[in-house]
Amino acid sequence: MTEDPTHRLAVVVKGYPRLSETFIAQELKALEDRGFAFDIWSLRAPYDDRIHPIHRQIRATPRYLPEYLHVEPLRVLRGLARVWRRPGFGHALRLFLGDLRRDLTRNRVRRFGQACVLAAELPPGIAFLYVHFLHTPGSVTRYAAVMRGIGWGVSAHAKDIWTTPEREVADKLADARFAVTCTATGAAYLRDLADRPETVALAYHGLDLREFPPPPDRLAGGTGPITFLSVGRLVEKKGYDDLLGALARLPQNLDWRFVHIGGGKLTKPLMAQAARLGLSGRIDWRGKQDRAAVIEAMRAADLFVLPSKIAADGDRDGLPNVLMEAASQKLATIATRAAAIPEFLREGREGLLVPPGDPDALAEALAALAQDPAQRQSLGAAAYARLTAEFGMEAGIALIAERLREAMEEQTVRHPQDRAAA
């Protein structure tokens, strides 16, 4: 696809760049490599203190909407003044008021204000809006698309699927030109809510293995303590309270250490839990790290563990990319039968799976695999084989690129005047 400045895409995200969303950066880079031209419109300014190397490879310009309307009131008012006479503004306002009646919150008002700014500031020639996440970013994009009279599509993931009310999900799917999602579990749920189930497609994130070093030799034995590694945000759905409980249950004669990479709002409570359990001396809390540091830790570890579960508010994982990243280094994994994890790791074949929220079962699996280097080697090799054969990035990117091209071409045919619209 040759870049055409009058035939452009705009991509909307919640925050950019973000360390925890390498899958988005990977996708954006792949779309650019396929010739798509776009700017990135972010609802939030970046707050991580570092970025991944892949972010430096993305050519798209990031643009930031007002995160809080009261911080940039003149910008919001200018946006409103520019869009309120557009033919689609009345329809967008009615959609917003209907949503507001069901969700009377400041966040809902902020979504409409951000949509006014987005619709007003989009450059001429935008043919389509593509948004990551169905919840807040999806609302902003939907309102803005209606104001501009153009189509939009959405990539849905995990929290945005499971914590958004079903009626709101159904309404957005009815309006969107297409929806893609990264797990079979999520795709089935969205199709059940969609009036056009055929518009919902499954597109696994996969990995661009060119970005990763070849896996190290995993010897079937070794000396020194066994190193458990986990990478994930310290939030409820990741289940780290269960993991600490499991570590406390390990046999006294097992020599181990635990390395964690990631930040999150539960950092202090989990560190306090570790101290109460007498585990602090064996745990290395490394905080947020870029992908290079993550991969280095995976290459040095003996066993990866991810104790995901469903949070009290319904939030849950999709198919965490870290599982595939661990597999890229032939690192054996223990995880839970939560969300879409079994879509990649099959019990006893590519990993060991335990029930979510069960520290006893997790401790038993950790102890067993820690003392069985041959099985670790076998599981890691099988996960690597499955990753390279079935979870490469290209298939998912090809599907998304096809959907985007079809939608943009359809928009141009239906509304050729939008190619030069202000």
Side-chain angles (χ1 to χ4, degrees):
M1 180 176 178
T2 302
E3 284 193 14
D4 178 356
T6 67
H7 191 221
R8 288 172 59 89
L9 173 71
V11 175
V12 183
V13 296
K14 190 170 185 179
Y16 181 87
R18 298 184 70 176
L19 285 174
S20 62
E21 294 174 357
T22 52
F23 59 93
I24 292 179
Q26 174 181 272
E27 179 188 295
L28 296 181
K29 174 64 167 57
L31 290 175
E32 284 189 333
D33 290 345
R34 287 172 177 261
F36 285 89
F38 52 86
D39 289 338
I40 301 168
W41 294 79
S42 176
L43 276 58
R44 291 180 177 175
Y47 55 80
D48 291 322
D49 60 357
R50 69 200 74 187
I51 62 174
H52 293 298
I54 194 171
H55 289 123
R56 298 186 181 92
Q57 301 172 31
I58 295 171
R59 300 184 299 274
T61 300
R63 304 182 184 277
Y64 296 96
L65 298 172
E67 184 171 351
Y68 298 101
L69 305 185
H70 68 272
V71 174
E72 297 185 75
L74 295 181
R75 187 181 176 196
V76 176
L77 290 174
R78 282 195 301 268
L80 181 60
R82 289 180 60 184
V83 299
W84 76 275
R85 289 185 178 178
R86 294 190 69 96
F89 182 79
H91 184 199
L93 181 62
R94 288 190 293 274
L95 290 176
F96 161 67
L97 292 175
D99 291 338
L100 186 64
R101 281 193 291 271
R102 297 192 295 268
D103 177 31
L104 190 59
T105 63
R106 290 182 179 179
N107 183 46
R108 182 65 62 174
V109 175
R110 183 168 65 217
R111 297 181 197 190
F112 190 73
Q114 289 179 316
C116 289
V117 175
L118 175 60
E121 295 184 3
L122 284 172
I126 294 296
F128 197 72
L129 298 180
Y130 173 53
V131 60
H132 274 275
F133 297 110
L134 194 58
H135 52 348
T136 299
S139 294
V140 173
T141 303
R142 182 191 187 201
Y143 300 148
V146 171
M147 291 177 197
R148 289 291 295 250
I150 60 178
W152 67 286
V154 60
S155 183
H157 300 287
K159 180 178 182 178
D160 55 316
I161 295 175
W162 305 108
T163 64
T164 302
E166 289 187 358
R167 178 174 175 179
E168 183 174 336
V169 171
D171 287 347
K172 288 175 177 175
L173 294 176
D175 281 359
R177 174 67 171 73
F178 68 81
V180 295
T181 189
C182 53
T183 69
T185 305
Y189 175 76
L190 294 179
R191 286 173 183 145
D192 284 343
L193 295 177
D195 61 350
R196 296 170 295 135
E198 70 278 4
T199 64
V200 178
L202 169 63
Y204 286 116
H205 294 149
L207 286 188
D208 183 355
L209 292 173
R210 297 171 299 179
E211 299 287 333
F212 295 82
D217 291 332
R218 294 285 178 183
L219 301 177
T223 59
I226 186 89
T227 299
F228 303 129
L229 172 68
S230 191
V231 180
R233 289 182 297 131
L234 295 172
V235 294
E236 183 185 357
K237 71 177 180 180
K238 295 297 185 180
Y240 286 116
D241 55 337
D242 299 325
L243 178 54
L244 292 177
L247 292 175
R249 291 166 166 80
L250 291 176
Q252 292 295 315
N253 63 349
L254 182 64
D255 189 10
W256 62 268
R257 62 191 295 266
F258 172 54
V259 175
H260 177 268
I261 294 177
K265 62 183 179 181
L266 295 182
T267 299
K268 290 183 178 179
L270 288 168
M271 286 183 174
Q273 180 186 355
R276 289 194 302 272
L277 294 171
L279 304 176
S280 298
R282 288 181 159 186
I283 299 179
D284 181 3
W285 304 97
R286 295 188 181 176
K288 297 179 181 179
Q289 301 286 325
D290 63 21
R291 177 181 271 180
V294 170
I295 297 304
E296 182 180 353
M298 288 178 170
R299 293 172 69 83
D302 299 296
L303 181 57
F304 191 82
V305 57
L306 193 68
S308 301
K309 62 184 177 182
I310 299 176
D313 64 357
D315 188 13
R316 67 197 75 179
D317 275 329
L319 176 53
N321 260 33
V322 291
L323 296 176
M324 289 180 278
E325 291 173 353
S328 79
Q329 302 306 303
K330 292 188 178 180
L331 181 59
T333 295
I334 295 173
T336 56
R337 301 185 194 99
I341 290 173
E343 293 179 34
F344 176 59
L345 297 177
R346 294 170 294 188
E347 164 61 23
R349 298 172 67 178
E350 293 87 21
L352 297 186
L353 300 179
V354 301
D358 190 339
D360 288 323
L362 185 55
E364 183 178 345
L366 286 168
L369 208 50
Q371 299 173 85
D372 192 342
Q375 188 181 18
R376 293 201 306 270
Q377 187 179 49
S378 174
L379 293 173
Y384 180 76
R386 182 162 169 79
L387 170 68
T388 54
E390 301 180 46
F391 285 82
M393 179 186 69
E394 282 304 307
I397 293 298
L399 185 149
I400 293 168
E402 179 184 8
R403 295 291 191 276
L404 288 172
R405 287 195 180 102
E406 290 174 350
M408 293 168 71
E409 290 169 1
E410 178 182 292
Q411 177 70 29
T412 303
V413 170
R414 288 187 177 183
H415 304 285
Q417 71 277 10
D418 287 338
R419 292 170 64 91

